[in-house]
Amino acid sequence: MLAAGIQIAQVVEGAVGGLVVIAVLTIAVIQLSRWWKQRREAAVVKPGRPALAVFADSESTDPTTFGGGAWSARVRDRQDTVTYGYLAVAEEYYSPDTGGRWCTLTVTLPGRVPSLVIDNRAATGRSGVPMEMPYRGTVDDPPFDATYMVGADDEGLVGRILNPPARDVLLRAPVQRLLLRERQLQLRTFDGVSLDDEIIASLDSLAARFLAATPSFVSTTREPAASNGAAATSDEPLAPGMYGPDAE
């Protein structure tokens, strides 16, 4: 009789243990399912364009990363592309303080470039516009000077880079900012723009036309940059890079 009681107790204990294990596994499965769902939702990108990476509202207070015009901005979408044969990144930003939404295109060039910024006068007074630079002036071109403000580290570079064809490119397709710094060319749209294939193609085309219109300002790895980052002296435009139309 006692032995039977012990067996019953063991059976009950085993059943309870089994139920506990099942409950723990059920909870684990539910948590795992939720995690996978959140990950899939975060990884969703717009069709037709390869995603460079997923950025969950990462915030920046460095205006050179998002093109200025706001105190801070959050990355909402980021896509890779190729511009003029060089790798580039198109990004969509959102500013909590202004409510604005805009896009940038940042092209990585094959060498160092001089520091130069071209700000659209329509954005005057917004945070960081115009961008502070050692030199600020005009290019003696009334239509261009009425549209843009120019700043640079070196006054002598302004006239050389912003030749008439380059100025015409920016007048035909106005942007809020064009920035040259370190090894990059960056374009910033006006507010009210979301990242899509049309915007990427438009920014790609504008950057390519600008690079093809102005004498090369890139100091290549074959021609070391001067200590002050001075541009190369060639009168020829920068040669297109070797990457294809799609960064795959």
Side-chain angles (χ1 to χ4, degrees):
M1 187 73 177
L2 178 60
I6 292 174
Q7 290 179 345
I8 292 173
Q10 290 175 338
V11 170
V12 171
E13 182 179 354
V16 171
L19 291 174
V20 171
V21 171
I22 292 173
V24 171
L25 289 175
T26 301
I27 294 173
V29 169
I30 292 173
Q31 294 295 335
L32 183 61
S33 298
R34 289 177 178 174
W35 180 79
W36 274 112
K37 181 180 179 181
Q38 291 172 353
R39 184 168 181 175
R40 287 196 303 270
E41 290 175 349
V44 170
V45 296
K46 297 173 183 177
R49 293 184 280 118
L52 177 65
V54 175
F55 294 81
D57 267 359
S58 58
E59 184 170 0
S60 173
T61 57
D62 177 7
T64 59
T65 65
F66 56 77
W71 289 107
S72 65
R74 296 178 181 273
V75 178
R76 303 306 301 271
D77 192 8
R78 179 176 290 188
Q79 304 293 334
D80 62 349
T81 185
V82 171
T83 296
Y84 202 61
Y86 297 104
L87 295 180
V89 178
E91 296 167 294
E92 179 185 312
Y93 284 95
Y94 166 76
S95 173
D97 56 282
T98 68
R101 189 184 300 268
W102 66 91
C103 296
T104 64
L105 176 73
T106 304
V107 185
T108 299
L109 297 171
R112 295 195 62 83
V113 301
S115 297
L116 181 142
V117 62
I118 304 167
D119 281 318
N120 199 294
R121 292 186 181 276
T124 302
R126 300 191 61 180
S127 177
V129 182
M131 182 175 171
E132 293 185 9
M133 299 293 285
Y135 166 78
R136 184 162 295 283
T138 60
V139 294
D140 197 25
D141 178 342
F144 187 86
D145 292 334
T147 305
Y148 291 104
M149 303 171 284
V150 181
D153 279 347
D154 183 350
E155 177 181 357
L157 293 170
V158 174
R160 180 176 180 278
I161 294 176
L162 292 179
N163 62 359
R167 298 198 299 267
D168 184 65
V169 168
L170 293 174
L171 286 175
R172 290 177 179 274
V175 290
Q176 182 164 308
R177 171 173 288 177
L178 182 150
L179 175 66
L180 298 177
R181 68 182 184 108
E182 298 177 353
R183 293 174 176 267
Q184 297 179 332
L185 180 153
Q186 182 191 78
L187 297 174
R188 184 212 197 274
T189 69
F190 294 99
D191 286 3
V193 175
S194 297
L195 194 65
D196 58 25
D197 291 339
E198 183 177 353
I199 288 297
I200 293 176
S202 175
L203 292 174
D204 283 341
S205 175
L206 175 56
R209 284 183 283 120
F210 180 82
L211 290 169
T214 181
S216 177
F217 46 78
V218 176
S219 295
T220 69
T221 54
R222 296 186 299 276
E223 181 182 353
S227 59
N228 63 356
T233 57
S234 171
D235 290 330
E236 296 297 318
L238 176 68
M242 302 300 292
Y243 290 94
D246 298 311
E248 295 182 354

